Amino acid sequence: MREGVPVPLREGQGDPPLDPVGEEQAASVSERLVVEDLAAIYVTTLQRTAQTAAPLAGRVGIEPVVEPDLREVFLGDWEGELFRKHAAERHPLAVRAFVEQRWDVIPGAEAPAHFAERIRGAIGRIAERHRDQCVAVFTHGGVIAQVISDATGSRPFAFLGADNGSISHVVVDGARWIVRRFNDTAHLDPGFSVAPEPMI
């Protein structure tokens, strides 16, 4: 997203496409995950997740499934480019949102309980469909933070800020969620290789 350029909206929610850096990161994610035995790939209704998943989906021959409830937290009146702008300017409501660890201090934004409930519901449905299987879910930073927060019992915003193209790994065993990995970006390093280096 570039300053001053309007962000396209989908059903009232910011829906920008990937930029060239994001496209490179998507290729790196594909390189990292192509070796996994994936049963399914999930994306959200927002185009950047489908675009990030596309290289992997093409290589493994899996058609991504859209899970609407894994879309990003709704930021109400601050959707589009306004949230980043106000956060950078340290708008009083942005400061309050981070101090109180809740999005709904922003006018019209999603309530924490509703956000957490829809994310838990979506993860639960996916886990039920794919017991003892590995799936790849392409989603958003706020959603990742919520999942890891639920799994660890941390404060809601403790895991905000996952890097674009990063990988987090959560094992879902009924009501027990186990975090195996958070914000892994090794594959984004230009020298990354899936195959181990030969030992000399």
Side-chain angles (χ1 to χ4, degrees):
M1 291 183 287
R2 297 193 306 276
E3 188 175 349
V5 178
V7 172
L9 300 178
R10 179 184 174 91
E11 298 175 350
Q13 199 154 20
D15 189 28
L18 291 184
D19 62 13
V21 172
E23 291 171 354
E24 290 179 9
Q25 291 171 335
S28 296
V29 171
S30 172
E31 189 67 25
R32 179 71 178 271
L33 294 181
V34 72
V35 298
E36 301 292 339
D37 183 17
L38 296 176
I41 296 173
Y42 286 85
V43 297
T44 79
T45 55
L46 302 178
Q47 64 175 326
R48 57 195 181 274
T49 63
Q51 291 170 348
T52 306
L56 176 64
R59 290 180 70 178
V60 299
I62 295 176
E63 181 70 25
V65 176
V66 176
E67 175 45 74
D69 279 347
L70 288 177
R71 70 192 180 280
E72 185 60 287
V73 62
F74 180 62
L75 295 175
D77 292 355
W78 287 13
E79 275 295 341
E81 68 271 25
L82 281 180
F83 175 76
R84 288 179 185 273
K85 176 179 182 295
H86 289 326
E89 295 170 350
R90 297 189 61 78
H91 186 289
L93 284 183
V95 172
R96 184 180 162 200
F98 283 93
V99 168
E100 297 184 15
Q101 307 250 319
R102 53 187 302 133
W103 299 112
D104 61 344
V105 301
I106 297 167
E110 191 167 6
H114 182 269
F115 181 52
E117 182 179 358
R118 73 171 167 86
I119 301 306
R120 280 195 295 267
I123 296 295
R125 289 192 299 274
I126 291 171
E128 184 64 26
R129 276 184 222 124
H130 301 285
R131 292 188 181 188
D132 301 319
Q133 294 180 319
C134 181
V135 303
V137 177
F138 290 80
T139 187
H140 311 275
V143 175
I144 294 167
Q146 183 63 48
V147 169
I148 305 296
S149 172
D150 277 353
T152 60
S154 71
R155 297 188 72 195
F157 286 15
F159 291 93
L160 271 181
D163 291 301
N164 290 339
S166 66
I167 294 173
S168 296
H169 180 188
V170 178
V171 175
V172 178
D173 182 14
R176 189 168 68 125
W177 295 9
I178 304 162
V179 179
R180 291 279 178 83
R181 190 182 331 160
F182 169 69
N183 200 41
D184 183 350
T185 58
H187 52 286
L188 302 181
D189 188 307
F192 174 79
S193 174
V194 172
E197 295 294 330
M199 297 185 67
I200 299 175

